[in-house]
Amino acid sequence: MYGYNGKILRVNLTEGTLKTENLDMDMARKFLGGRGLGTKLMMDEVDPKVDPFSPENKLFIVSGPMTGNPVATGGRYMVVTKSPLSGTIASSNSGGKWGAEMKFAGWDVIAFEGKSENPVYLSIEDDKAELLPADELWGTTVSYTTKKLEENHAKGAKVLAIGPAGENLSLIAAIINDEDRAAGRSGVGAVMGSKNLKAVVVKGSGAPDVPDQEKIKELNKKQLGIIKENGVTGQGLPTYGTAVLVNILNELGSLPTNNFQKALFEGAEEISGETLAEKYLVKRTACYRCPIGCGRYVKVGDWEGGGPEYETLWAFGASCGISDMESIIKANYWCNEMGLDTISAGATIAAAMELHQKGYIKDEDLDGVSLEFGNITDIAEWTKRMGYGQGLGAKMAMGSYRLAESYGVPELSMSVKKLEMPAYDPRGIMGIGLNYATSNRGGCHVRGYTISPEVLGLPEQIDRFEANGKPGWVKTFQDLTAAIDSLGVCLFTSFALGADDYAEMCNAICGTDYTGKDILKIGERIYNIERQFNMMAGLTPADDTLPRRLLEDEIPEGPSKGHVNRLAEMLPVYYSERGWGTDGIPTKEKLEELGL
């Protein structure tokens, strides 16, 4: 059982009971852990048509076999449930230290069922687990909750929590661990809130067994060398964090601006990674066993804390027409405190700005708070109002699609399957548009990050404007990412490592004999079972699309001027690459091939 603990903690919140189950190791080998194992558990135990806020929906926190083990970036965990935002399978990834601590405590999976009558939190210290009252914590911010629970529990305990956004069932609510690391996307925080579950505190003193420590040390030395020699993982990300991408994307004319009305932002330099490093950075921070250290710890005035990622700088910056770094840092702070997904929060504010710009949202709806592109005064105030569900903020807390739909113009929501798209304009980068359209959780970049070859030239440079050949790239990246998410390591390692490297890593930790092809096949299995879940939940291939603006309105200016995304050319080829029918539905033959 190398790499795993072999245990599931089953928590019935309705009954207030906890029990230990053995992990089905055949299932674990077939789906690895994390995203794959969580999705398989959802498929086996939950009706895909379930109301996400029903007690019958379950929430799984799942580590991977690499989580808590001595490999580079082995600290990731996944939250898997049904998304209240998109209605799809939700599997949201986070780093920091919490996931490794869960593994040290002896657990591979924590499964939450039912709904508590009153607010509670779960305390875990190795094999001792108990539900405790959280009435006094309900309504408090993430940092307050975290500090209070750290004071009340064993030294070194790690805390995962929701803020007011999750309690108020905001459909864009995140789960936050270690105060500023987020399982951010798909509204997983709202599912936790619907169960009256405020937090999970964990402290462990063990470690999973591994077959050969010396062999693992040798492998680590080799892979760390590859990671440190890579230009992105060895220089760009450590020096400037993910925000290194701001100027890069803007120079390509593919940085979405003013809610994707444009793709070139004049104020990009002011919100870039270079500016963040020069004027605000105190130090870089790293998740468990991470040699990259892309996290930013910043200072503004007397305040110090976790700084914004690239997506956050874009969402509250270019997407809202704002080039003031301090305003964005403040909005990022309030996302962490409220427990909000920064991508969806910023993108929803941007959609609201366009709704106001076009006269759908009236001045009298604003309660004296500004809502214009480029206005830096109240961006943080809207973030707080979304978290607390106040005024127009309560409508915005439901995400951009439902906000725009309420005014009769859902096409002004820049989302796929109701999940807001991130900071890459797919009119200037064809492959990422196909990935957005076909992602199993909606408008998501990290499910098939073709920015790597289309922009960064890794593993090779491909033409970003070219549609031909992109379906194969997208499928490969989606399958590899599904496996990485399930192993419990960081996606950023894939800038330097390939499928064979992940197979070697897994074999050293778990005593398996996977090849790179095996890893990709497991990823394909995971992608197909996610697709199955979504189809059973009521989604159809008609949902594999992009906002009309990106298919019909050409980029108006800059290096990508004149382009739209050519999704119609790519989608049928993508379905064929996947071995699905022309209708986009997995065939019986493909499912049998994958053991589904």
Side-chain angles (χ1 to χ4, degrees):
M1 200 182 293
Y2 295 126
Y4 300 85
N5 289 309
K7 292 197 302 182
I8 298 173
L9 177 61
R10 183 81 59 173
V11 183
N12 188 310
L13 293 165
T14 303
E15 298 175 1
T17 58
L18 298 88
K19 65 177 181 178
T20 301
E21 295 179 3
N22 292 328
L23 175 65
D24 182 335
M25 291 308 300
D26 289 336
M27 183 193 300
R29 300 296 191 206
K30 195 172 179 180
F31 293 93
L32 293 178
R35 175 177 160 188
L37 180 59
T39 302
K40 173 61 174 168
L41 289 167
M42 280 290 292
M43 182 67 93
D44 288 351
E45 299 183 17
V46 179
D47 182 349
K49 292 184 171 60
V50 71
D51 179 339
F53 291 150
S54 164
E56 281 68 49
N57 190 19
K58 297 184 182 183
L59 185 140
F60 295 96
I61 300 178
V62 194
S63 66
M66 303 300 104
T67 309
N69 271 302
V71 296
T73 75
R76 312 298 294 191
Y77 73 92
M78 302 291 299
V79 179
V80 184
T81 186
K82 184 178 180 182
S83 167
L85 179 66
S86 63
T88 66
I89 188 75
S91 47
S92 194
N93 187 298
S94 186
K97 307 293 196 299
W98 191 94
E101 201 70 32
M102 169 185 160
K103 197 72 168 285
F104 298 154
W107 305 100
D108 296 306
V109 181
I110 306 173
F112 291 101
E113 307 171 340
K115 176 182 179 178
S116 175
E117 184 175 350
N118 298 304
V120 294
Y121 72 93
L122 176 66
S123 169
I124 300 172
E125 189 169 346
D126 291 328
D127 58 358
K128 178 187 176 184
E130 57 183 335
L131 287 168
L132 298 169
D135 303 79
E136 294 183 358
L137 296 171
W138 204 253
T140 64
T141 63
V142 167
S143 67
Y144 178 90
T145 298
T146 300
K147 289 179 174 61
K148 201 71 176 174
L149 291 175
E150 286 175 344
E151 291 172 5
N152 294 342
H153 290 273
K155 184 178 180 180
K158 302 296 185 289
V159 178
L160 166 157
I162 58 170
E167 297 170 7
N168 294 325
L169 306 187
S170 164
L171 302 186
I172 58 174
I175 294 173
I176 310 290
N177 60 275
D178 306 333
E179 291 197 40
D180 67 352
R181 308 310 300 172
R185 311 232 65 198
S186 304
V188 293
V191 175
M192 194 163 155
S194 74
K195 297 184 176 300
N196 278 330
L197 177 64
K198 178 65 174 177
V200 182
V201 187
V202 61
K203 180 69 177 77
S205 59
D209 288 333
V210 294
D212 189 335
Q213 288 283 4
E214 290 305 313
K215 183 177 179 180
I216 291 168
K217 286 179 182 178
E218 289 177 17
L219 174 65
N220 255 329
K221 184 177 179 180
K222 183 180 93 170
Q223 293 195 348
L224 284 171
I226 296 171
I227 290 169
K228 289 179 179 178
E229 288 170 9
N230 180 272
V232 174
T233 53
Q235 287 92 47
L237 287 171
T239 305
Y240 299 114
T242 56
V244 69
L245 289 165
V246 173
N247 282 331
I248 293 173
L249 268 295
N250 198 55
E251 288 166 5
L252 296 177
S254 295
L255 186 68
T257 300
N258 290 13
N259 198 38
F260 285 79
Q261 294 182 76
K262 302 187 293 181
L264 191 66
F265 185 46
E266 292 180 359
E269 179 61 40
E270 296 305 308
I271 62 168
S272 67
E274 291 84 345
T275 297
L276 187 68
E278 179 186 346
K279 297 184 178 180
Y280 302 96
L281 185 66
V282 176
K283 62 182 178 180
R284 64 189 182 104
T285 60
C287 299
Y288 176 77
R289 293 191 73 94
C290 178
I292 301 170
C294 70
R296 307 290 94 175
Y297 187 87
V298 301
K299 182 175 183 178
V300 176
D302 295 331
W303 177 85
E304 293 184 14
E309 303 278 357
Y310 166 62
E311 307 296 339
T312 311
L313 287 164
W314 161 78
F316 288 103
S319 192
C320 292
I322 288 174
S323 58
D324 183 78
M325 183 71 81
E326 293 190 12
S327 297
I328 298 170
I329 291 173
K330 189 175 180 181
N332 179 69
Y333 165 80
W334 281 110
C335 278
N336 288 336
E337 288 290 80
M338 295 292 103
L340 284 167
D341 170 15
T342 60
I343 297 176
S344 285
T348 298
I349 294 173
M353 287 175 168
E354 184 172 357
L355 288 164
H356 182 247
Q357 178 189 55
K358 289 182 162 59
Y360 295 103
I361 294 178
K362 309 298 183 184
D363 286 342
E364 53 266 31
D365 299 328
L366 305 182
D367 297 324
V369 187
S370 62
L371 192 61
E372 290 84 28
F373 287 113
N375 191 311
I376 69 173
T377 307
D378 293 322
I379 192 84
E381 179 62 26
W382 284 117
T383 306
K384 284 194 284 184
R385 291 188 179 207
M386 282 193 287
Y388 286 124
Q390 297 170 336
L392 179 62
K395 290 179 72 173
M396 293 163 68
M398 298 300 105
S400 66
Y401 184 88
R402 289 169 178 81
L403 176 70
E405 185 182 44
S406 73
Y407 293 98
V409 281
E411 65 272 16
L412 296 188
S413 166
M414 296 297 104
S415 60
V416 175
K417 301 179 179 78
K418 300 183 178 68
L419 179 69
E420 288 74 17
M421 293 181 300
Y424 313 90
D425 195 312
R427 292 172 292 186
I429 311 169
M430 294 300 122
I432 203 67
L434 176 61
N435 173 63
Y436 288 162
T438 58
S439 166
N440 286 326
R441 69 172 181 181
C444 173
H445 59 303
V446 292
R447 288 303 165 91
Y449 194 67
T450 62
I451 298 304
S452 189
E454 292 186 286
V455 173
L456 301 175
L458 296 170
E460 64 183 81
Q461 188 69 60
I462 59 176
D463 186 348
R464 62 192 175 96
F465 295 123
E466 180 59 61
N468 186 42
K470 293 299 170 64
W473 280 97
V474 169
K475 176 188 179 296
T476 298
F477 269 75
Q478 288 176 337
D479 292 346
L480 180 60
T481 300
I484 293 170
D485 284 346
S486 302
L487 285 170
V489 292
C490 178
L491 178 62
F492 288 173
T493 58
S494 66
F495 290 124
L497 305 179
D500 289 339
D501 297 302
Y502 293 110
E504 191 175 18
M505 182 190 297
C506 191
N507 293 340
I509 293 293
C510 298
T512 48
D513 58 356
Y514 294 126
T515 64
K517 288 182 179 179
D518 293 332
I519 292 295
L520 287 171
K521 182 62 72 174
I522 293 170
E524 184 181 12
R525 178 180 298 126
I526 294 163
Y527 214 83
N528 276 264
I529 195 174
E530 289 175 336
R531 182 80 167 186
Q532 280 185 292
F533 185 97
N534 287 350
M535 295 294 173
M536 293 169 68
L539 279 80
T540 73
D543 295 302
D544 296 338
T545 190
L546 295 170
R548 189 171 68 198
R549 171 174 292 166
L550 306 182
L551 300 173
E552 299 178 2
D553 296 352
E554 297 177 353
I555 289 179
E557 59 184 346
S560 298
K561 180 180 179 180
H563 286 276
V564 296
N565 188 271
R566 304 202 302 280
L567 180 65
E569 295 176 35
M570 298 183 286
L571 200 54
V573 182
Y574 172 84
Y575 290 157
S576 177
E577 289 274 357
R578 282 229 165 266
W580 297 347
T582 55
D583 57 2
I585 296 174
T587 63
K588 180 181 179 182
E589 292 75 18
K590 173 54 68 174
L591 296 178
E592 287 178 349
E593 173 196 326
L594 296 172
L596 297 174

